[in-house]
């Protein structure tokens, strides 16, 4: 369903208006409390800058960490406000709480073209419970609502869903709009052939995605630790590789479903094995038919990389979610890095390449190839749920276009 976006609001619509913007500023910090990756803050800049240029009074709402409904000094948004100020090249005020007297006073003091960051909305348990009174207080700070937090759109929380009952218009920000355009577009109206590469350690975390993608894709390529559950289901010996014993029948049914639908389901034919789960473990390459006892698979093998590259070479749209192996260990990063390089190359030839959140994003960034992809999703769980075909509450709540 098409949603109304910020692009539909003019300077006349927004000048002098208090605009509540839900952003995803859940960024990683080091032990000194310094931000180690500001990607999510940068991703919100187009929306914030657009509102500032249209002379709005910008009130930002965000969560940080999991404080479980209590004030946690280590989860205040103070470093985020400082970093955002540097990026915007202007002062960003921060409130002591997201609701109450201090928040109201600071919102009322805002002038056109100024920014206020509300303190962590998850300091109140009412946020995740989506309690009406809390949502009403939050909404009472503004006149217009913009949701730009795609990474939190799969949650029906007060700041993502509840506030829309009290604010009109309620629209998608530029990042949200871009996420929906790419991810929804790839599923609903892809340029074909459409391929999905699904990795990660467990089949259980990707069941819905795999079932949905087998329905929609021409090719599905599977890597990561989950491949060993498929091999075990075929009756192969997998050494001490990770296996979900309770998912063997599911693995069989997924392979059967792909066969019935005429979808090419590709699993690696060779793997890189380790004698221990460590970066400096002894390693060897083995075909999937001859994995020795006492060894575990930590990456897809060189032959599999070639087969995957060949399968992807003709594709016009590729979605990638989940690494091919334990890419955090350099010795077992070849498969993941090769897929990243392959997608960067395909992008340059006009293929639409979508990195669907989570560890694949980290892998692409680690390889220095993020800028070469068509779209890098900022949502982990939200990306997965959208690819599964689920309705995202934070999107459903917005005004229809």
């Amino acid at each position: 369903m098409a949603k109304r976006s910020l692009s539909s609001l003019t300077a006349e619509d927004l000048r002098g208006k208090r605009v509540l913007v839900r952003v995803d500023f859940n960024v990683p910090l080091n032990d000194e409390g310094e931000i180690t990756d500001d990607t999510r803050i940068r991703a919100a800049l187009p929306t914030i800058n657009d509102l500032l240029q249209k002379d709005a009074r910008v009130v930002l709402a965000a969560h940080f960490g999991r404080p479980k409904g209590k004030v946690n000094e280590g989860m205040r948004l103070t470093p985020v406000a400082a970093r955002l100020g540097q990026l915007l090249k202007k002062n960003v005020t921060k409130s002591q709480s997201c609701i109450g007297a201090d928040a109201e006073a600071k919102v009322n003091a805002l002038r056109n073209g100024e920014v206020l960051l509300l303190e962590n909305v998850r300091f109140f348990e009412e946020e995740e419970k989506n309690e009406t009174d809390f949502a009403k207080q939050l909404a009472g700070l503004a006149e217009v609502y913009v949701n730009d937090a795609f990474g939190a759109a799969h949650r029906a929380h007060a700041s993502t869903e509840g506030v829309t009952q009290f604010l009109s218009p309620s629209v998608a920000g530029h990042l949200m709009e871009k996420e929906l355009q790419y991810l929804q577009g790839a599923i609903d109206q892809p340029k074909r052939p459409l391929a999905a590469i699904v990795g990660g350690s467990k089949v259980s975390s990707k069941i819905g995605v795999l079932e949905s993608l087998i329905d929609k894709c021409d090719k599905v390529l599977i890597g990561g630790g989950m491949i060993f559950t498929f091999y075990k289901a075929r009756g192969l010996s997998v050494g001490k590789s990770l296996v979900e014993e309770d998912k063997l029948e599911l693995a069989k049914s997924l392979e059967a479903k792909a066969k019935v639908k005429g979808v090419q389901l590709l699993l690696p034919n060779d793997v890189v094995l380790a004698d221990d789960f460590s970066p400096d473990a002894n390693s060897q390459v083995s075909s999937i038919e001859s994995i020795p006892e006492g060894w575990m698979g930590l990456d897809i093998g060189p032959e599999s990389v070639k087969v995957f590259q060949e399968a992807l070479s003709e594709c016009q749209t590729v979605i990638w979610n989940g690494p091919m192996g334990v890419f955090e260990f350099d010795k077992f990063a070849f498969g993941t890095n090769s897929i990243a390089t392959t997608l960067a190359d395909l992008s340059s030839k006009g293929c639409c390449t979508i990195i669907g959140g989570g560890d694949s994003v980290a892998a692409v960034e680690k390889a220095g190839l993020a800028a070469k992809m068509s779209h890098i999703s900022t949502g982990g769980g939200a990306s997965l749920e959208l690819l599964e075909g689920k309705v995202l509450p934070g999107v459903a709540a917005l005004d229809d276009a």
Side-chain angles (χ1 to χ4, degrees):
M1 191 184 295
K3 291 294 174 179
R4 192 174 180 193
S5 71
L6 177 56
S7 317
S8 71
L9 300 178
T10 64
E12 281 63 42
D13 296 325
L14 293 164
R15 187 171 293 116
K17 292 280 173 71
R18 301 185 312 276
V19 183
L20 180 66
V21 187
R22 179 58 161 96
V23 285
D24 182 3
F25 285 169
N26 196 21
V27 293
L29 300 181
N30 62 17
D31 293 340
E32 283 72 53
E34 298 161 337
I35 296 168
T36 55
D37 181 357
D38 65 3
T39 304
R40 287 180 166 175
I41 302 175
R42 289 176 182 275
L45 293 179
T47 289
I48 297 168
N49 282 321
D50 187 16
L51 289 166
L52 294 176
Q53 282 159 12
K54 289 173 178 169
D55 247 2
R57 303 174 186 198
V58 180
V59 182
L60 302 171
H63 75 276
F64 182 76
R66 291 180 177 160
K68 297 182 179 167
K70 295 185 177 70
V71 174
N72 180 322
E73 292 302 327
M75 293 182 191
R76 288 196 178 273
L77 287 166
T78 311
V80 174
R83 182 66 188 124
L84 180 62
Q86 290 169 352
L87 292 168
L88 290 172
K89 297 186 172 64
K90 70 188 308 168
N91 182 51
V92 173
T93 312
K94 189 183 76 66
S95 65
Q96 291 304 303
S97 174
C98 63
I99 56 169
D102 180 66
E104 287 166 22
K106 286 193 165 96
V107 167
N108 290 333
L110 277 180
R111 295 178 185 169
N112 294 7
E114 290 186 342
V115 184
L116 167 70
L117 175 61
L118 299 174
E119 187 52 277
N120 194 341
V121 290
R122 287 193 185 168
F123 283 175
F124 290 84
E125 62 180 10
E126 295 90 337
E127 157 68 4
E128 292 186 75
K129 289 179 178 175
N130 196 5
E131 288 196 359
T132 304
D133 286 347
F134 178 75
K136 197 172 187 178
Q137 283 187 73
L138 208 49
L141 300 172
E143 300 153 278
V144 176
Y145 177 69
V146 176
N147 192 346
D148 214 29
F150 178 72
H154 59 314
R155 307 285 188 216
H157 291 170
S159 66
T160 61
E161 200 266 351
V163 291
T164 64
Q165 295 165 43
F166 306 102
L167 288 170
S168 180
S170 288
V171 302
H174 296 308
L175 174 65
M176 177 76 83
E177 186 180 17
K178 188 180 176 209
E179 290 275 16
L180 295 173
Q181 181 190 333
Y182 272 98
L183 288 167
Q184 198 87 58
I187 290 301
D188 295 344
Q189 297 169 312
K191 286 193 294 176
R192 292 189 181 273
L194 165 64
I197 308 163
V198 183
S201 57
K202 294 184 173 180
V203 186
S204 53
S205 62
K206 302 280 170 88
I207 296 169
V209 167
L210 282 167
E211 289 183 330
S212 175
L213 292 173
I214 288 169
D215 274 336
K216 289 164 180 157
C217 293
D218 302 297
K219 304 180 183 196
V220 176
L221 287 60
I222 301 179
M226 70 170 81
I227 60 178
F228 299 101
T229 300
F230 283 88
Y231 298 149
K232 183 86 183 274
R234 289 180 183 178
L236 295 171
S237 170
V238 295
K240 57 177 184 178
S241 305
L242 181 72
V243 169
E244 289 180 278
E245 298 286 350
D246 61 335
K247 295 290 179 282
L248 298 179
E249 288 308 312
L250 172 77
K252 284 182 194 171
S253 73
L254 287 170
E255 288 210 64
K257 179 179 177 178
K259 197 170 183 181
V260 168
K261 288 196 160 283
V263 172
Q264 191 179 359
L265 184 74
L266 283 174
L267 286 153
N269 49 18
D270 65 339
V271 287
V272 182
L273 301 171
D275 60 355
D276 187 32
F277 188 82
S278 75
D280 49 6
N282 293 311
S283 64
Q284 62 169 306
V285 175
S286 158
S287 84
I288 60 167
E289 282 86 13
S290 53
I291 298 173
E293 278 307 309
W295 290 73
M296 65 182 83
L298 296 187
D299 194 12
I300 64 172
E303 279 308 310
S304 302
V305 167
K306 286 178 191 166
V307 172
F308 279 19
Q309 286 171 330
E310 180 61 31
L312 293 168
S313 63
E314 59 167 18
C315 293
Q316 291 297 304
T317 308
V318 180
I319 303 163
W320 181 18
N321 183 286
M324 297 293 96
V326 187
F327 74 99
E328 297 88 348
F329 299 165
D330 288 344
K331 205 178 230 187
F332 306 103
F334 178 75
T336 300
N337 290 341
S338 298
I339 293 298
T341 308
T342 301
L343 295 195
D345 185 46
L346 287 171
S347 293
S348 69
K349 295 171 182 168
C351 173
C352 177
T353 52
I354 299 165
I355 313 303
D359 286 341
S360 341
V361 175
V364 165
E365 283 172 352
K366 191 179 176 192
L369 295 168
K372 300 201 170 169
M373 306 300 170
S374 308
H375 179 64
I376 294 206
S377 181
T378 55
S383 307
L384 278 179
E385 291 199 14
L386 196 63
L387 292 174
E388 277 181 52
K390 288 185 179 173
V391 172
L392 306 184
V395 176
L398 301 175
D399 298 350
D400 292 336

